[in-house]
Amino acid sequence: MEKNKVIRVIQYGMGSIGSKIVRELLKRNRFELVGAIDIAPGIVGRDVSEVAGLPQPLNLLVESEPAKVLSSAKADVVVHTTGSHLNRIFSQIEEVVRSGLNIVSTSEELVYPFRRHPELSAQLNQLAIDKGVTVLGTGVNPGFVMDTMALVLSSVCLEVDKVKVERVINAATRRFPFQKKIGAGLSPEEFRSEVAQGRIGHVGLAESLYLTAHGLGWTIEEIKEEIAPILAETPLKTEYLEVSSGMVAGMDQLAKGMSDGKEVLTLRFRAFIGAPKPHDTIEIQGNPPLKVTIDGGVAGDVATVAMVVNSIPRILSAEPGLKTMADLPLPHAALS
Amino acid sequence: MEKNKVIRVIQYGMGSIGSKIVRELLKRNRFELVGAIDIAPGIVGRDVSEVAGLPQPLNLLVESEPAKVLSSAKADVVVHTTGSHLNRIFSQIEEVVRSGLNIVSTSEELVYPFRRHPELSAQLNQLAIDKGVTVLGTGVNPGFVMDTMALVLSSVCLEVDKVKVERVINAATRRFPFQKKIGAGLSPEEFRSEVAQGRIGHVGLAESLYLTAHGLGWTIEEIKEEIAPILAETPLKTEYLEVSSGMVAGMDQLAKGMSDGKEVLTLRFRAFIGAPKPHDTIEIQGNPPLKVTIDGGVAGDVATVAMVVNSIPRILSAEPGLKTMADLPLPHAALS
C-alpha cells in the first residue's frame, strides 16, 4: 500500500482495550476510524466517541451487526479485541477475513494458534491467503515480552540451549479484571478450585512458548504448566479489593517447554498485589549467554494498545495468511 | 526458497571475522561453503580450512579473483567482511550483486547507507532489484544494540520522545585492532591528533542513529559527534599493550541526532581498558517509558558472527533491494 495513504480502521470490541485503541487511532493522522462493533447492550447504538470517553461526538455509532459494518465501511483493517480463546472468537475472525479485510487481534491464542488449534489455524490461513489478507494475533504478553523479545535477542546467538523469561507484575497497579484473574482476595482453597475450573491463570504462556520454539526451529513435545497461589504476608489493599494475611495476593504461573526430553523453555509469570521490583527478565543460555532486564516491566494496557496500533501498518504490507510476530517485519513504533 | 534446501555460501574476506563465520557455517547442516575470496598475499591459494584454523582440509582454496568464484561456485549468498566504508568496498558489493547473488555484509556503513551515500545506495538498490537479490548490512553495533533493539522496544510505545543508548565495553577483553581503534596506550595529544585524522573512533554510531530514525519516521537534520579520551587512573595492562597512568585507556564517543531542533537520539559508546560493569542500556523516553539493560553487554565478535549467520536465511526469502534491519522480518537465531 502507499506509504502515506490514510488507513481505514474498524474497531471490533469496544471494551476497555478497544476504547483505548480508538482514542489512540483518533489522535493520529495516519488512521481513520470508519466503524465500530460491539454487542454489549449498554454500548450498541451509542456514539463511539462517548463509549471511548471522548468529549467530541464522532457521529459514528457502535453497531451490533458485524456484517453491516464490514461490508459498508470500506475499511483496510479490523482491530479485534473481544476475547482470548480462538474457538469462541473464530467465527468473528472468519467473518472479517471473508469480507476481505486484514485483522490484528489481541486474542492471546491467536498469537500462536497452530498447536492448540491446528485445524482452525489451517482453515484461517487458507482463507486469508484466498482473500489476500493478513491475520495477526499480538500484544505484550503473549506477543512481546516472552516471545518476540526472546527471539530478537537470539539473533546475536550462535547457540541457544535454553530460554528463560520471568515477568513480575505488581497487580495493585492493574485493572480489577486482572486482579480477579490472578485470584487476588481468594482463600488458598478457593484459588485451587478456581484454577481447577480454568477460571484463574494467564492465557498465553503456552502461546509464547510455541512462538519462541517456532522461531528457533524447536519442536515442543510437551508443555508442563503449574499455577500456585502467592499468599499475602500482611494485609493488602487495592483500589478494588482487600486481601487479609494468609489469603491469596496473586499467582505464580509456570510453563515449561520440553524438547527431546529436555526443558528448553521456562516461562514464569508472577503477578500479585504488592510485588516488589516488577520487571521482565529474558535470559538466553547459549553462546553468547544473554540476560536482559526491563526495569519495571513492560506496562500492561498502554503497551498492548501500542503494539496493536503499531502493528497495523505492518500487516497491511505483509504477505497474506495467518502470520505470527516471528514472520512479520521488525516491529517498531508507528508514530505518525 | 525451499525451507530445507542447503544454502550455498561464498565467504568474501578471510580475516578474523570471516574465519569465524566460516567455522560456524561448516558446523551447520543448513549451509555449504562453496567459495572463499581474499586478496591478502599470505592467504590466497591456501585451503580455507587452514586459514580458518580448522584441522581437516576442505579442498577449497582461497581465491583472489572474485569474478571467478562468483561465476563458478553456484552460490545462493555471499557473506562479505572486508571493510567498513562503503566507498572503499562498493565495487566488491556491486560485483556480487551483478553476479545475481544475495549479500550480507559486516560493512558498518551498509547498515544504513542512504544518508551518507545517497547515490551509491540508490544505485545499489536499483541493481539489486534488477538482479532480484537482497543486500543487507548488519552486525551487533551497528545492526543490533543501538538500533534494532531500540526499534523493537518502541513497538510497545505509543509515543517516543527520545531514544538513548549507552554501550560500555571493557576493551581489555577485545582484540588488538579494537584496542588500537579506541586509542588505548596513546598520550592525550596523540589521541586528539589521531581523532583529527579519522584514525580513532567507532564507525557506525551515525548509521545506528539514522536506522533508528528511519524506523521511527523521524527526519534527522543534523548529527553532532564528539570523541573524548578516557585516561587511565592507574597503570593498565592487556594481552597486547600497557597503559601508564594519565595515558589513554580508551574513548568516549557520543552521537546526537537532531530533529526539529531537538535532540531525539543520543548514542554513547564508551570503550576502555578496565571499564567496570560493561553493559548495554537502551532507554526510551515516551509512553510508556522503557529502560532495558543487557548485563555485560552483547559480546562483540561472537555476536557479530551470529547476527551474520542468522541473517542468511532471512535475506534469501526477503524482497529484492538494498534492505535494512528495519525492513526485514524479525531477526532470530537460525540454529539448524
Side-chain angles (χ1 to χ4, degrees):
Chain A
M1 69 173 290
E2 297 161 51
K3 207 166 177 183
N4 297 315
K5 187 177 164 271
V6 169
I7 299 171
R8 295 170 61 93
V9 185
I10 293 168
Q11 176 61 41
Y12 196 144
M14 283 296 297
S16 170
I17 292 285
S19 292
K20 287 188 170 91
I21 289 169
V22 160
R23 292 203 294 272
E24 282 305 318
L25 294 174
L26 293 174
K27 276 186 201 166
R28 291 157 199 250
N29 296 331
R30 191 173 198 168
F31 302 108
E32 184 180 357
L33 187 71
V34 295
I37 303 167
D38 205 300
I39 53 163
I43 293 179
V44 176
R46 284 169 61 198
D47 195 286
V48 171
S49 171
E50 190 193 336
V51 175
L54 292 166
Q56 297 291 335
L58 270 178
N59 298 319
L60 183 70
L61 304 183
V62 179
E63 308 262 2
S64 59
E65 295 289 335
K68 188 178 153 194
V69 182
L70 296 173
S71 65
S72 65
K74 295 191 173 52
D76 299 300
V77 61
V78 171
V79 174
H80 175 268
T81 58
T82 72
S84 305
H85 298 283
L86 191 57
N87 49 12
R88 295 191 210 150
I89 58 163
F90 185 78
S91 62
Q92 298 172 358
I93 294 179
E94 191 188 25
E95 187 176 15
V96 170
V97 174
R98 226 175 258 292
S99 308
L101 297 175
N102 299 283
I103 179 166
V104 52
S105 173
T106 55
S107 157
E108 286 88 344
E109 287 190 356
L110 200 62
V111 168
Y112 195 85
F114 304 95
R115 281 294 293 265
R116 259 196 229 265
H117 305 286
E119 284 166 28
L120 290 183
S121 301
Q123 199 180 323
L124 196 54
N125 183 47
Q126 191 56 54
L127 184 63
I129 291 170
D130 293 346
K131 292 290 181 176
V133 300
T134 306
V135 179
L136 174 71
T138 193
V140 166
N141 183 29
F144 185 71
V145 173
M146 291 190 158
D147 36 51
T148 298
M149 274 295 287
L151 285 173
V152 169
L153 287 169
S154 78
S155 66
V156 288
C157 295
L158 285 170
E159 289 155 36
V160 179
D161 300 319
K162 187 171 179 176
V163 175
K164 287 177 74 171
V165 186
E166 180 178 75
R167 179 161 169 84
V168 177
I169 286 181
N170 177 5
T173 63
R174 302 293 290 266
R175 288 180 293 136
F176 181 58
F178 184 89
Q179 296 181 8
K180 215 175 146 188
K181 191 183 76 170
I182 60 167
L186 299 179
S187 70
E189 295 69 35
E190 287 168 331
F191 183 93
R192 278 179 242 283
S193 152
E194 293 284 292
V195 168
Q197 291 169 72
R199 286 208 288 260
I200 278 183
H202 168 71
V203 180
L205 286 193
E207 283 69 20
S208 287
L209 203 152
Y210 285 133
L211 177 55
T212 306
H214 161 70
L216 295 177
W218 289 343
T219 303
I220 298 296
E221 292 120 22
E222 190 193 354
I223 290 189
K224 297 179 181 171
E225 285 203 73
E226 295 163 26
I227 303 181
I230 296 172
L231 305 183
E233 290 173 13
T234 55
L236 302 168
K237 195 173 180 322
T238 76
E239 198 181 331
Y240 311 107
L241 51 81
E242 294 189 17
V243 183
S244 321
S245 273
M247 301 299 266
V248 175
M251 64 164 198
D252 184 345
Q253 186 170 354
L254 189 67
K256 300 175 185 177
M258 313 297 292
S259 182
D260 284 334
K262 280 186 308 191
E263 185 181 327
V264 291
L265 274 153
T266 311
L267 308 184
R268 188 175 186 185
F269 183 47
R270 288 189 294 150
F272 57 105
I273 312 290
K277 292 192 189 165
H279 64 270
D280 302 320
T281 302
I282 300 117
E283 191 182 340
I284 293 185
Q285 295 175 5
N287 180 27
L290 286 172
K291 189 172 176 187
V292 172
T293 303
I294 307 177
D295 290 1
V298 177
D301 284 1
V302 185
T304 300
V305 170
M307 179 58 96
V308 169
V309 171
N310 292 332
S311 294
I312 296 174
R314 291 164 55 240
I315 70 160
L316 293 190
S317 53
E319 282 181 30
L322 171 55
K323 298 294 181 187
T324 72
M325 291 293 289
D327 311 310
L328 291 187
L330 195 78
H332 55 74
L335 299 172
S336 55
Chain B
M1 71 171 290
E2 297 160 51
K3 207 165 178 184
N4 296 314
K5 186 177 164 273
V6 169
I7 298 171
R8 295 170 61 92
V9 185
I10 293 168
Q11 176 61 41
Y12 195 144
M14 283 297 298
S16 170
I17 292 285
S19 292
K20 288 188 170 91
I21 289 170
V22 160
R23 293 204 293 273
E24 282 305 318
L25 294 174
L26 293 174
K27 277 186 201 166
R28 291 157 200 248
N29 296 331
R30 191 172 199 169
F31 302 107
E32 184 180 357
L33 186 71
V34 295
I37 303 167
D38 205 300
I39 53 162
I43 293 179
V44 176
R46 284 168 61 198
D47 195 288
V48 171
S49 170
E50 189 192 338
V51 175
L54 292 166
Q56 297 291 335
L58 271 179
N59 298 319
L60 183 70
L61 304 184
V62 179
E63 308 263 2
S64 59
E65 296 288 335
K68 187 177 153 194
V69 182
L70 296 173
S71 65
S72 65
K74 296 190 172 54
D76 300 300
V77 61
V78 171
V79 174
H80 175 269
T81 58
T82 71
S84 303
H85 297 283
L86 190 57
N87 50 11
R88 295 191 211 149
I89 58 163
F90 184 78
S91 61
Q92 297 172 358
I93 294 179
E94 191 188 26
E95 186 176 17
V96 170
V97 173
R98 227 176 257 291
S99 308
L101 297 175
N102 298 284
I103 178 166
V104 52
S105 173
T106 55
S107 158
E108 285 89 344
E109 287 191 356
L110 199 63
V111 167
Y112 195 85
F114 304 94
R115 281 293 294 264
R116 258 196 231 265
H117 305 286
E119 284 166 28
L120 290 182
S121 300
Q123 199 180 325
L124 196 53
N125 183 46
Q126 191 54 55
L127 184 63
I129 291 170
D130 293 346
K131 291 291 181 176
V133 301
T134 306
V135 180
L136 174 71
T138 192
V140 167
N141 183 29
F144 185 71
V145 173
M146 291 191 159
D147 35 52
T148 298
M149 275 294 286
L151 285 173
V152 169
L153 288 169
S154 78
S155 67
V156 289
C157 294
L158 285 170
E159 288 154 36
V160 179
D161 300 318
K162 186 171 178 177
V163 175
K164 286 177 74 171
V165 186
E166 181 178 75
R167 179 161 168 86
V168 176
I169 287 181
N170 177 5
T173 63
R174 302 293 290 264
R175 288 180 293 136
F176 181 58
F178 184 88
Q179 296 181 8
K180 216 175 145 188
K181 191 182 76 170
I182 61 166
L186 300 180
S187 70
E189 295 69 34
E190 287 168 331
F191 183 93
R192 278 179 242 282
S193 153
E194 294 284 291
V195 167
Q197 291 169 71
R199 285 208 289 260
I200 278 183
H202 168 72
V203 180
L205 286 193
E207 282 69 20
S208 286
L209 203 153
Y210 285 133
L211 177 55
T212 305
H214 161 71
L216 295 177
W218 288 344
T219 304
I220 299 296
E221 292 119 24
E222 191 193 354
I223 290 189
K224 296 179 182 173
E225 286 204 71
E226 295 163 25
I227 304 181
I230 296 173
L231 305 183
E233 289 173 13
T234 55
L236 302 168
K237 195 175 180 322
T238 76
E239 198 181 331
Y240 311 107
L241 51 81
E242 295 189 16
V243 183
S244 321
S245 275
M247 302 298 266
V248 175
M251 65 165 197
D252 184 345
Q253 187 170 352
L254 188 68
K256 301 175 186 177
M258 312 298 291
S259 182
D260 283 335
K262 281 186 308 191
E263 185 181 327
V264 291
L265 274 152
T266 311
L267 308 183
R268 188 174 187 186
F269 183 45
R270 288 189 294 151
F272 57 105
I273 312 291
K277 293 194 188 163
H279 64 270
D280 302 320
T281 302
I282 300 116
E283 191 182 340
I284 294 184
Q285 294 174 5
N287 180 25
L290 287 171
K291 189 172 176 187
V292 172
T293 304
I294 307 177
D295 290 1
V298 177
D301 284 1
V302 184
T304 300
V305 170
M307 180 56 96
V308 169
V309 171
N310 292 332
S311 294
I312 296 174
R314 290 165 54 241
I315 70 160
L316 293 190
S317 53
E319 282 181 29
L322 171 56
K323 299 294 181 185
T324 72
M325 290 293 289
D327 312 309
L328 291 187
L330 196 78
H332 55 73
L335 299 172
S336 56

PDB file of all heavy atoms in Angstrom, chain B residues 23 31 50 56 156 209 250 313 317:
ATOM      1  N   ARG B  23      33.935 -21.036  10.200  1.00  0.00           N
ATOM      2  CA  ARG B  23      33.866 -22.139  11.173  1.00  0.00           C
ATOM      3  C   ARG B  23      32.415 -22.425  11.570  1.00  0.00           C
ATOM      4  O   ARG B  23      32.026 -23.580  11.721  1.00  0.00           O
ATOM      5  CB  ARG B  23      34.713 -21.814  12.419  1.00  0.00           C
ATOM      6  CG  ARG B  23      36.206 -21.760  12.106  1.00  0.00           C
ATOM      7  CD  ARG B  23      37.073 -22.012  13.332  1.00  0.00           C
ATOM      8  NE  ARG B  23      36.986 -20.966  14.330  1.00  0.00           N
ATOM      9  CZ  ARG B  23      37.741 -19.856  14.339  1.00  0.00           C
ATOM     10  NH1 ARG B  23      38.644 -19.669  13.373  1.00  0.00           N
ATOM     11  NH2 ARG B  23      37.613 -18.965  15.284  1.00  0.00           N
ATOM     12  N   PHE B  31      24.077 -25.058   5.825  1.00  0.00           N
ATOM     13  CA  PHE B  31      24.931 -24.291   4.919  1.00  0.00           C
ATOM     14  C   PHE B  31      25.993 -25.169   4.262  1.00  0.00           C
ATOM     15  O   PHE B  31      26.477 -26.130   4.857  1.00  0.00           O
ATOM     16  CB  PHE B  31      25.644 -23.166   5.695  1.00  0.00           C
ATOM     17  CG  PHE B  31      24.704 -22.220   6.382  1.00  0.00           C
ATOM     18  CD1 PHE B  31      24.553 -22.248   7.756  1.00  0.00           C
ATOM     19  CD2 PHE B  31      23.953 -21.307   5.642  1.00  0.00           C
ATOM     20  CE1 PHE B  31      23.677 -21.375   8.400  1.00  0.00           C
ATOM     21  CE2 PHE B  31      23.075 -20.433   6.275  1.00  0.00           C
ATOM     22  CZ  PHE B  31      22.940 -20.461   7.661  1.00  0.00           C
ATOM     23  N   GLU B  50      42.467 -24.345   6.566  1.00  0.00           N
ATOM     24  CA  GLU B  50      43.726 -23.990   7.232  1.00  0.00           C
ATOM     25  C   GLU B  50      43.693 -22.515   7.665  1.00  0.00           C
ATOM     26  O   GLU B  50      44.054 -22.183   8.795  1.00  0.00           O
ATOM     27  CB  GLU B  50      44.858 -24.236   6.239  1.00  0.00           C
ATOM     28  CG  GLU B  50      46.256 -24.135   6.821  1.00  0.00           C
ATOM     29  CD  GLU B  50      47.295 -24.098   5.688  1.00  0.00           C
ATOM     30  OE1 GLU B  50      46.982 -24.559   4.559  1.00  0.00           O
ATOM     31  OE2 GLU B  50      48.398 -23.566   5.937  1.00  0.00           O
ATOM     32  N   GLN B  56      40.769 -30.327   9.591  1.00  0.00           N
ATOM     33  CA  GLN B  56      40.559 -31.119   8.365  1.00  0.00           C
ATOM     34  C   GLN B  56      40.573 -30.240   7.121  1.00  0.00           C
ATOM     35  O   GLN B  56      39.824 -29.279   7.058  1.00  0.00           O
ATOM     36  CB  GLN B  56      39.187 -31.813   8.432  1.00  0.00           C
ATOM     37  CG  GLN B  56      39.025 -32.807   9.561  1.00  0.00           C
ATOM     38  CD  GLN B  56      39.871 -34.050   9.371  1.00  0.00           C
ATOM     39  OE1 GLN B  56      40.219 -34.402   8.242  1.00  0.00           O
ATOM     40  NE2 GLN B  56      40.243 -34.689  10.474  1.00  0.00           N
ATOM     41  N   VAL B 156       6.196  -1.327  21.664  1.00  0.00           N
ATOM     42  CA  VAL B 156       5.204  -1.282  22.740  1.00  0.00           C
ATOM     43  C   VAL B 156       5.022   0.139  23.272  1.00  0.00           C
ATOM     44  O   VAL B 156       4.500   0.342  24.370  1.00  0.00           O
ATOM     45  CB  VAL B 156       5.553  -2.265  23.898  1.00  0.00           C
ATOM     46  CG1 VAL B 156       5.332  -3.694  23.427  1.00  0.00           C
ATOM     47  CG2 VAL B 156       6.964  -2.064  24.408  1.00  0.00           C
ATOM     48  N   LEU B 209      22.008   5.612  14.358  1.00  0.00           N
ATOM     49  CA  LEU B 209      21.117   6.742  14.575  1.00  0.00           C
ATOM     50  C   LEU B 209      20.155   6.923  13.391  1.00  0.00           C
ATOM     51  O   LEU B 209      18.933   7.050  13.574  1.00  0.00           O
ATOM     52  CB  LEU B 209      22.034   7.956  14.766  1.00  0.00           C
ATOM     53  CG  LEU B 209      21.533   9.146  15.507  1.00  0.00           C
ATOM     54  CD1 LEU B 209      22.686   9.893  16.148  1.00  0.00           C
ATOM     55  CD2 LEU B 209      20.790  10.039  14.556  1.00  0.00           C
ATOM     56  N   GLY B 250      41.084   4.518  26.650  1.00  0.00           N
ATOM     57  CA  GLY B 250      40.038   4.254  25.651  1.00  0.00           C
ATOM     58  C   GLY B 250      39.296   5.525  25.315  1.00  0.00           C
ATOM     59  O   GLY B 250      39.806   6.622  25.543  1.00  0.00           O
ATOM     60  N   PRO B 313      19.427 -16.911   6.188  1.00  0.00           N
ATOM     61  CA  PRO B 313      18.136 -17.427   5.697  1.00  0.00           C
ATOM     62  C   PRO B 313      17.117 -16.316   5.490  1.00  0.00           C
ATOM     63  O   PRO B 313      16.289 -16.392   4.576  1.00  0.00           O
ATOM     64  CB  PRO B 313      17.682 -18.376   6.828  1.00  0.00           C
ATOM     65  CG  PRO B 313      18.922 -18.703   7.596  1.00  0.00           C
ATOM     66  CD  PRO B 313      19.807 -17.502   7.473  1.00  0.00           C
ATOM     67  N   SER B 317      14.837 -15.048   1.724  1.00  0.00           N
ATOM     68  CA  SER B 317      13.396 -15.009   1.462  1.00  0.00           C
ATOM     69  C   SER B 317      12.856 -13.582   1.430  1.00  0.00           C
ATOM     70  O   SER B 317      11.657 -13.367   1.329  1.00  0.00           O
ATOM     71  CB  SER B 317      12.653 -15.841   2.512  1.00  0.00           C
ATOM     72  OG  SER B 317      13.028 -15.431   3.804  1.00  0.00           O
TER      73      SER B 317
END
